[in-house]
Structure formats: structure tokens, C-alpha cells
Amino acid sequence: MSANVLIIEARYYEHISEALLEGAKAELEAKECSYDVLTLPGALEIPAALQFVVEGRAKSYDAYVVLGVVIRGETSHYDIVCNESARGVYDLVAKHRLALGNGILTVENETQAMARAEREQKNKGGEAAAAALRMYAVKKEYGA
């Protein structure tokens, strides 16, 4: 399936984010999809950037992949970032009928994050890209 995909990635944890991005890109390249990458500082910025792209007129995409990492810390900031980034993204998915794969990791520590991000382990970046392509296929099949 050929699709034009936008990967929106948060780079707060650079080395973990790089592993997620590598997995997503490899999956899209294996499926011969074109893609662009939009890099942001953190996961909380992802919904706003997605809205800018979707509601803007500069370029349109068939599917979207969101990538980021939220690691629990000592304060309630973790809960705010997890909840608000997910709510913001899925509000836009519903409003604009977007084909999206979510690869925003919400974990307890860096070890869990790396296990989920690395391609040789759980490859959540690749899984998010595969989910976005599957949702695009479903959207096309049902005429949405």
C-alpha cells in the first residue's frame, strides 16, 4: 500500500525517540510509503502540531504516526502529559477522521522505554506505523 504519512515525533528523550523513529521509518519504507518527519520538543506539543497540520492548507497526508516518550517522575506532571497528549490526539482523530498510529510510550523508567522503542525488541515505532497504515486501509475500504 502506498501512502503519504506524517510522523510527528517528540524529542524530549533523544536516544529513545531515535529508536522509535527508526522503527517507524523502516516500516513505512518496507511498505513503499512516502513520509515526512515533524520534530517537536515534547509529547504535550503533539496535539497542537497535529491540529496545525490537519487544519492548515500547506500539505495533506493519508495517515499520521505520533511518537514520543513520557517517563514517570516524582510529580503529577506525568499524568498530565499522558492524559492530555492522548486526549488531544484522539479528539483530532475523531473530529477529522484521521488514520493514526499512536507510538507515544508511557512508562515507569528508561529501561522500559528502551525495551519498547528498540527495533530488536518491541519496536513500538514500527507498530505505530503499521497501525496508521491499517487505519488508512480501513478508511479507504469504508469510504471515510
Side-chain angles (χ1 to χ4, degrees):
M1 166 194 317
S2 180
N4 187 26
V5 179
L6 178 62
I7 302 170
I8 301 177
E9 60 147 357
R11 280 279 167 163
Y12 192 83
Y13 297 97
E14 186 82 25
H15 61 295
I16 303 168
S17 298
E18 186 60 34
L20 285 169
L21 181 60
E22 287 176 12
K25 288 166 54 174
E27 179 69 22
L28 295 174
E29 289 166 4
K31 300 290 193 284
E32 299 182 355
C33 296
S34 62
Y35 61 86
D36 292 323
V37 178
L38 174 58
T39 301
L40 305 171
L44 204 51
E45 289 76 34
I46 290 174
L50 180 60
Q51 184 170 11
F52 298 156
V53 172
V54 170
E55 294 181 359
R57 293 189 168 95
K59 192 168 183 180
S60 64
Y61 295 92
D62 300 314
Y64 301 85
V65 177
V66 294
L67 303 173
V69 181
V70 186
I71 298 176
R72 186 178 301 280
E74 298 174 357
T75 69
S76 61
H77 184 67
Y78 169 87
D79 297 311
I80 293 167
V81 174
C82 292
N83 294 334
E84 292 305 309
S85 62
R87 183 198 53 79
V89 165
Y90 285 103
D91 283 352
L92 292 166
V93 167
K95 178 179 179 182
H96 296 285
R97 300 167 38 213
L98 303 177
L100 182 130
N102 185 346
I104 300 175
L105 305 180
T106 54
V107 296
E108 297 295 320
N109 55 54
E110 187 175 328
T111 301
Q112 289 178 353
M114 284 306 297
R116 285 157 179 77
E118 290 181 337
R119 287 176 60 196
E120 301 77 24
Q121 294 189 50
K122 295 191 177 193
N123 192 18
K124 294 298 182 181
E127 286 182 16
L133 295 177
R134 177 64 184 133
M135 293 306 295
Y136 176 55
V138 169
K139 183 177 179 179
K140 281 178 43 177
E141 181 178 344
Y142 290 93

